[in-house]
């Protein structure tokens, strides 16, 4: 087995670098254009030189034919070498540097010729057109080789055709003029090619800087990797050009923003409409990890400018995280409430034990009945007014949390909501957010109270949540519905400023709205209107005509 390494084959082909390929192609194009331009110039130049030679020959022939001595010589003398026609024709030929000046009669016989032996002989080419009164220009071959010719009729004093004059210009002189022009043309073409090569080099250097001296295969690989990365990551990516228009976006951005391919080339305002998400993408709102709401989704957006004046925005879906965080907050609240109830239950058990030890059995039975009856009455009063089980369960749970926080949670006497909700989970989100905010607002205040009113008007649901807290200043009543705005400290799981924005978005999605105003007697009153929130059904039962007082859901627990 031979140990000689195999010979390496020489591989010919285009260079790999973009700079080299662009330079080579541009030089080739410049050279091709120079050659083509030279060829296109030479072709009409050759024809122009031929035409000029024929025109010159025709002009000499016309001048010769105007000489009266030549016409008179044909009529008065024979065709001889020393005749007046030969002498005059030779004088004109030498003066004009023509190849020949031939005078012939109507019998085609030559009366002059540069070669005297040809005088008296017939011409070699057909002179009928000239003898017929026409002027002729042509390139033809005769006894003196190829020449540019001009033929005219010869008239006597009485204007009768007595012969013709034929003048020839040597074609070699025409060709010599053409050949002499070629070096100059090549010089101009070479200069143009040099300028084109220099321009190609400058352009290629710019391309080299912009492409960072990459090969076409590297650029193709980068594009493929970019596409794979954009469509593979779990974050939404939106790229904007220098004019603020959408350049591209990936599949996750399409899902989160609800846009399609028509958004490419549009501004964020055109593609998404007005809103905080649009302001973040357009750069009108700056910062890191900006919270925004798009539809029912809570997004965290970051925007990074690029060198070309554009920007790249990334979007993360925090909807599930926010929901889990809120559920965690609710769970913690319930745990705190259960912990407090555990202490209260221990106190009640100790009281019951004391009554039994003192053999006060009737008092013990009455005490147990009051405790059990209070909790049962609270749940029954809520379910009588709110027939949807999810909402009823939510308010019963919130009542326990409110009681342990020292807040009285009331259900208004005007409350009446049948079990015909189209989107009960959406209304649970709205009620839960508003009640939580109200509890936070009144916690720690004297005579803290939160009142919830839920009623139906046809297929419309109207929700009002009132509290006895400090209220919302008039100049901030619209600002509080903005994503990311909050006066509270952020919780452990993330940022605040989402709840009220979600409330308004859910209301607007159903064609309604959410507003805040000052409550009667102080505090804040949030009103949410949800049109088309109930399904069609038989006429609903009338609300109770008289009620002694609002249902105190958490009053007993706050005593």
């Amino acid at each position: 087995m031979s140990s000689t390494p195999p010979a390496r084959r020489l591989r010919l082909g285009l260079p790999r670098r973009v700079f080299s390929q662009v330079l080579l192609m541009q030089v080739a194009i410049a050279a091709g254009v120079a050659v083509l331009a030279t060829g296109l110039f030479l072709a009409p130049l050759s024809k122009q030189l031929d035409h000029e030679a024929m025109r010159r020959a025709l002009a000499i022939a016309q001048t010769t034919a105007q000489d009266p001595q030549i016409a008179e010589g044909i009529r008065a003398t024979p065709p001889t070498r020393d005749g007046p026609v030969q002498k005059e024709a030779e004088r004109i030929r030498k003066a004009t540097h023509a190849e020949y000046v031939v005078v012939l009669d109507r019998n085609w016989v030559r009366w002059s010729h540069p070669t005297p032996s040809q005088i008296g002989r017939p011409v070699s080419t057909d002179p009928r057109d000239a003898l017929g009164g026409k002027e002729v220009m042509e390139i033809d071959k005769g006894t003196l080789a190829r020449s540019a010719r001009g033929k005219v009729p010869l008239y006597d004093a009485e204007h009768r055709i007595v012969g013709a004059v034929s003048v020839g210009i040597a074609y070699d002189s025409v060709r010599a003029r053409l050949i002499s022009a070629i070096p100059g043309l090549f010089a101009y073409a070479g200069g143009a090619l040099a300028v084109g090569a220099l321009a190609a080099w400058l352009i290629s250097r710019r391309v080299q800087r912009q492409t960072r001296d990459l090969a076409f295969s590297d650029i193709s690989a980068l594009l493929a990797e970019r596409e794979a990365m954009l469509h593979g990551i779990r974050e939404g990516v939106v790229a904007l050009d220098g004019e603020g228009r959408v350049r591209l976006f990936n599949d996750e951005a399409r899902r989160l923003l609800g846009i399609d391919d028509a958004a490419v080339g549009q501004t964020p305002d055109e593609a998404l409409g007005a809103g905080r998400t649009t302001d973040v993408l357009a750069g009108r709102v700056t910062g890191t990890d900006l919270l925004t709401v798009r539809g029912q989704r809570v997004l965290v957006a970051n925007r990074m400018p690029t060198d070309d004046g554009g920007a790249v925005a990334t979007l993360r879906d925090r909807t599930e995280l926010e929901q889990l965080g809120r559920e965690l907050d609710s769970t913690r609240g319930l745990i705190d409430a259960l912990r407090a109830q555990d202490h209260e239950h221990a106190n009640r058990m100790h009281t019951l034990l004391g009554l039994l030890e003192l053999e006060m059995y009737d008092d013990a039975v009455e005490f147990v009945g009051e405790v059990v009856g209070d909790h049962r009455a609270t749940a029954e009063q809520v379910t009588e007014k709110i027939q949807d089980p999810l909402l009823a369960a939510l308010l019963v749970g919130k009542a326990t949390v409110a009681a342990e926080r020292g807040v009285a949670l009331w259900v208004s006497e005007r409350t009446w909501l049948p079990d015909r909700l189209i989107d009960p989970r959406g209304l649970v989100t709205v009620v839960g957010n508003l009640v939580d905010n109200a509890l936070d607002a009144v916690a720690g205040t004297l005579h803290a109270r939160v009142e919830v009113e839920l009623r139906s008007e046809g297929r419309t649901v109207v929700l009002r949540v009132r509290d006895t807290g400090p209220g919302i200043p008039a100049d901030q009543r619209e600002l509080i519905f903005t994503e990311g705005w909050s006066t509270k400290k952020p919780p452990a799981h993330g940022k605040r400023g989402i709840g009220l924005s979600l409330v308004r978005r859910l209301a607007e999605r159903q064609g309604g709205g959410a507003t805040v105003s000052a409550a009667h007697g102080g505090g804040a009153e949030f009103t949410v209107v949800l049109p088309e929130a109930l399904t069609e059904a038989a006429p609903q039962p009338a609300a109770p005509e008289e009620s002694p007082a609002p249902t105190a859901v958490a009053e007993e627990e706050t005593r």
Side-chain angles (χ1 to χ4, degrees):
M1 186 174 181
S2 175
S3 60
T4 304
R8 298 182 61 183
R9 295 182 179 179
L10 181 62
R11 300 182 62 182
L12 300 178
L14 289 174
R16 296 181 65 250
R17 300 294 180 186
V18 175
F19 163 75
S20 303
Q21 290 194 27
V22 171
L23 177 60
L24 181 61
M25 287 186 290
Q26 287 186 330
V27 169
I29 291 173
V33 170
V35 171
L36 180 61
T38 302
L40 292 176
F41 183 77
L42 285 176
L45 177 62
S46 176
K47 293 182 179 180
Q48 182 180 359
L49 292 176
D50 289 347
H51 185 74
E52 289 180 357
M54 290 186 293
R55 290 292 303 175
R56 181 183 170 206
L58 182 64
I60 296 172
Q62 290 172 340
T63 303
T64 303
Q66 296 297 323
D67 190 344
Q69 297 181 6
I70 293 179
E72 184 63 27
I74 289 179
R75 294 182 60 185
T77 62
T80 61
R81 297 183 178 184
D82 299 328
V85 176
Q86 170 67 2
K87 290 180 180 180
E88 185 65 19
E90 281 299 296
R91 184 188 67 79
I92 295 174
R93 182 183 69 83
K94 293 176 181 179
T96 58
H97 302 286
E99 184 179 13
Y100 63 84
V101 176
V102 175
V103 180
L104 61 146
D105 58 17
R106 294 185 62 86
N107 297 321
W108 299 17
V109 176
R110 298 188 182 97
W111 287 66
S112 66
H113 196 276
T115 304
S117 61
Q118 297 293 328
I119 296 175
R121 295 181 179 181
V123 296
S124 59
T125 57
D126 190 351
R128 293 177 183 175
D129 290 338
L131 292 174
K134 296 180 181 179
E135 295 183 346
V136 179
M137 292 191 306
E138 62 183 1
I139 303 267
D140 202 356
K141 184 176 181 181
T143 57
L144 295 178
R146 190 175 181 84
S147 61
R149 301 181 179 185
K151 298 178 182 181
V152 298
L154 179 62
Y155 296 94
D156 60 7
E158 298 176 356
H159 203 68
R160 291 178 299 183
I161 296 177
V162 296
V165 178
S166 176
V167 176
I169 303 296
Y171 195 74
D172 290 340
S173 63
V174 178
R175 184 179 300 171
R177 290 182 61 190
L178 178 62
I179 293 174
S180 64
I182 290 178
L185 291 176
F186 281 167
Y188 285 115
L193 179 59
V195 173
L198 177 61
W201 183 81
L202 294 175
I203 294 174
S204 300
R205 288 290 297 174
R206 180 177 177 83
V207 171
Q208 183 183 27
R209 290 193 299 268
Q210 291 181 339
T211 60
R212 302 186 180 182
D213 202 22
L214 294 175
F216 278 114
S217 58
D218 297 333
I219 295 177
S220 177
L222 286 175
L223 289 175
E225 292 170 1
R226 187 200 69 171
E227 290 297 318
M229 180 175 61
L230 282 177
H231 296 290
I233 61 177
R234 298 302 300 167
E235 289 189 357
V237 178
V238 179
L240 306 173
D241 60 18
E243 297 181 356
R245 300 184 179 276
V246 177
R247 180 182 297 164
L248 60 89
F249 53 87
N250 64 351
D251 297 337
E252 185 67 5
R254 182 195 303 268
R255 183 182 70 87
L256 295 179
L257 299 178
I259 56 179
D260 53 22
D261 294 336
V264 176
Q266 297 180 340
T267 63
D269 298 270
E270 296 170 344
L272 304 178
R276 179 177 170 84
T277 305
T278 301
D279 294 337
V280 171
L281 293 182
R284 293 189 287 268
V285 177
T286 59
T288 59
D289 292 337
L290 299 172
L291 286 175
T292 179
V293 176
R294 179 68 178 174
Q296 295 184 357
R297 300 187 181 280
V298 180
L299 306 178
V300 176
N302 285 280
R303 188 178 187 273
M304 178 66 65
T306 56
D307 295 338
D308 61 352
V312 175
T314 58
L315 305 167
R316 285 176 288 162
D317 190 355
R318 287 180 58 96
T319 305
E320 296 181 359
L321 182 60
E322 287 294 327
Q323 291 177 350
L324 291 175
R326 292 184 177 279
E327 291 179 3
L328 178 60
D329 288 342
S330 299
T331 302
R332 287 177 176 173
L334 288 175
I335 291 175
D336 293 338
L338 290 175
R339 186 180 295 112
Q341 281 190 348
D342 179 60
H343 290 289
E344 184 178 359
H345 179 70
N347 292 331
R348 289 173 178 173
M349 292 302 293
H350 291 158
T351 302
L352 179 60
L353 178 62
L355 292 173
L356 293 176
E357 288 180 349
L358 294 174
E359 297 183 355
M360 301 173 63
Y361 302 115
D362 293 336
D363 292 336
V365 171
E366 183 180 358
F367 177 74
V368 171
E370 288 179 357
V371 172
V372 174
D374 288 342
H375 288 284
R376 183 180 301 166
T378 298
E380 289 178 352
Q381 289 170 356
V382 171
T383 55
E384 284 179 0
K385 296 178 179 296
I386 301 175
Q387 297 184 356
D388 183 84
L390 287 178
L391 278 175
L394 173 70
L395 288 177
V396 171
K398 295 296 183 183
T400 303
V401 175
E404 299 307 326
R405 297 180 66 177
V407 180
L409 180 61
W410 289 66
V411 175
S412 171
E413 62 179 358
R414 300 181 60 188
T415 295
W416 169 253
L417 187 67
D419 187 14
R420 293 189 288 110
L421 288 173
I422 296 177
D423 183 16
R425 293 184 179 275
L427 190 54
V428 165
T429 300
V430 172
V431 174
N433 277 304
L434 293 182
V435 170
D436 286 342
N437 288 340
L439 293 179
D440 291 339
V442 301
T445 62
L446 190 63
H447 306 297
R449 172 175 169 174
V450 174
E451 183 177 356
V452 178
E453 178 183 333
L454 266 169
R455 56 189 175 85
S456 61
E457 298 177 357
R459 296 184 59 187
T460 300
V461 172
V462 179
L463 165 66
R464 288 189 174 89
V465 177
R466 308 178 186 90
D467 62 63
T468 58
I472 307 295
D475 59 343
Q476 296 182 1
R477 289 177 183 172
E478 283 299 318
L479 187 62
I480 63 174
F481 291 102
T482 304
E483 299 98 319
W485 190 92
S486 178
T487 59
K488 308 172 188 176
K489 293 182 179 180
H493 66 273
K495 298 185 176 183
R496 289 192 179 272
I498 295 298
L500 290 177
S501 176
L502 279 177
V503 168
R504 173 166 280 186
R505 288 298 180 89
L506 287 171
E508 291 177 347
R509 189 186 63 175
Q510 298 185 21
T515 58
V516 61
S517 59
H520 181 69
E525 178 177 323
F526 286 84
T527 302
V528 178
V529 179
L530 302 174
E532 308 284 330
L534 297 173
T535 60
E536 295 286 353
Q540 60 188 20
E545 296 181 357
E546 296 182 358
S547 181
T551 302
V553 179
E555 184 179 14
E556 292 296 331
E557 288 84 346
T558 58
R559 292 176 181 173

